[in-house]
Amino acid sequence: MPSHPRHAARLHSLIGEGLHDLPPETIHKLERMLQCYGVPHPRDEPAWGSGGSLLRTPHEVARHLDGCLVESGGDAAILAEALLSLVEGSDLRRVARVCGLPCEVLHRQLAGRRTLTFATVAGSLRALGVGLRVRVAAR
């Protein structure tokens, strides 16, 4: 992102780290195409949680999800249900875009009507501004 600061935010949200491999001319061309097709710029989108979610900050979300994982003993269905409750409404479309999935597929995975993939969990967490860490468990 440092070599293309003006266009990097929108393209990085769509392409990911592959953006660094593109020449500046391609970045400019892609940016013009995004504008023509009406793809919103990430800074123009409402912040997650603005759709009425009670949890507003990534710290609150992290505490909530951590609590769900601890209480459920790591049950994937409970985590999926917690993620769905956080991203329902206006955030679902944005999270689906980060995950690289259609909204319907994301909703089905989080609702348990389709197999939940780790990529969906990781993308949802990233879209919510939190990450997953591994640590040594106490015995």
Side-chain angles (χ1 to χ4, degrees), residues 22-100:
L22 299 174
E25 309 81 50
T26 305
I27 299 288
H28 294 294
K29 184 176 181 179
L30 288 171
E31 178 65 24
R32 284 192 303 275
M33 290 173 69
L34 290 172
Q35 287 173 345
C36 287
Y37 290 110
V39 175
H41 197 285
R43 73 169 177 255
D44 298 334
E45 292 184 355
W48 71 267
S50 60
S53 174
L54 297 175
L55 304 173
R56 299 262 182 228
T57 69
H59 293 290
E60 292 171 332
V61 169
R63 278 193 299 274
H64 175 69
L65 292 174
D66 188 51
C68 289
L69 283 171
V70 170
E71 290 295 318
S72 71
D75 186 357
I78 301 292
L79 177 61
E81 184 180 328
L83 286 170
L84 182 59
S85 70
L86 289 170
V87 302
E88 273 188 318
S90 62
D91 293 331
L92 187 66
R93 192 175 85 238
R94 184 181 60 78
V95 173
R97 190 169 44 246
V98 171
C99 292

